[in-house]
């Protein structure tokens, strides 16, 4: 490959001075400075895969936590990150997966309401439980 085989860009220069690539490079440098400042403030940045691995949740759940405002979103250089500090705080909260258990009184009220809505055919079959549940109790279900 010779120097003559290099084609000039749309501005007539071989080195793209003032070209979109130069502007993109300058923008990337300014984003890098912002990213560096954010990393110092937030004690580092993690991508969604890394945060999910540390918290024991899926990447989708991390995205959901960002949408819900539980984790702050940082966009730098075309990538999305979350704060190490916030991930660490969430990890130390030791949140359990799933819905919190309701108090016994609330569960009892819900059971009574459901029982009142049971129709006669359902009651003949054993209330909420159908024939399969009855057989399971007797040990005959497969």
């Amino acid at each position: 490959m010779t120097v003559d085989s290099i084609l000039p860009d749309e501005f007539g220069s071989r080195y793209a001075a003032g070209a979109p690539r130069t502007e993109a490079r300058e923008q990337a440098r300014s984003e890098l400075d912002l990213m560096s400042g954010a990393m110092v403030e937030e004690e580092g940045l993690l991508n969604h895969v890394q945060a999910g691995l540390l918290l024991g949740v899926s990447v989708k759940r991390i995205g959901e936590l960002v949408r819900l405002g539980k984790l702050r979103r940082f966009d730098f250089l075309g990538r999305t990150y979350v704060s190490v500090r916030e991930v660490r705080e969430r990890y130390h909260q030791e949140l359990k997966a799933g819905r919190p258990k309701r108090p016994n009184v609330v569960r009892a009220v819900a059971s009574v309401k459901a029982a009142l809505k049971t129709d006669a055919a359902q009651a003949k079959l054993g209330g909420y439980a159908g024939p399969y549940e009855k057989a399971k109790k007797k040990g005959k279900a497969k």
Side-chain angles (χ1 to χ4, degrees):
M1 179 180 221
T2 65
V3 175
D4 294 336
S5 66
I6 299 174
L7 298 174
D9 68 358
E10 62 209 40
F11 298 99
S13 166
R14 284 193 215 154
Y15 303 106
R21 184 177 173 125
T22 304
E23 292 169 15
R25 187 177 358 182
E26 290 303 317
Q27 183 181 357
R29 283 185 184 147
S30 67
E31 276 192 53
L32 187 62
D33 291 339
L34 292 173
M35 183 178 184
S36 179
M39 288 183 80
V40 170
E41 257 183 57
E42 300 296 327
E43 300 173 12
L45 298 175
L46 299 169
N47 63 33
H48 286 199
V49 175
Q50 293 166 328
L53 183 65
L54 291 172
L55 292 176
V57 298
S58 69
V59 176
K60 282 186 175 186
R61 178 64 179 151
I62 296 295
E64 187 178 3
L65 291 170
V66 168
R67 279 191 305 282
L68 293 171
K70 308 276 184 181
L71 294 174
R72 208 162 112 210
R73 177 186 175 131
F74 295 90
D75 293 317
F76 296 112
L77 304 170
R79 305 264 188 236
T80 304
Y81 302 94
V82 293
S83 165
V84 169
R85 183 179 46 78
E86 291 176 354
V87 168
R88 189 180 296 128
E89 287 171 5
R90 191 155 181 88
Y91 177 79
H92 289 300
Q93 288 176 357
E94 296 180 5
L95 300 171
K96 293 182 181 177
R99 193 173 290 209
K101 193 170 182 178
R102 295 185 297 174
N104 290 338
V105 175
V106 174
R107 287 190 305 176
V109 169
S111 295
V112 170
K113 284 181 181 178
L116 294 173
K117 293 180 180 179
T118 303
D119 61 5
Q122 221 176 2
K124 270 187 188 177
L125 295 173
Y128 315 116
Y132 174 77
E133 290 296 324
K134 278 185 171 179
K136 196 163 87 173
K137 285 181 184 176
K138 291 179 183 177
K140 296 180 182 177
K142 293 180 183 180

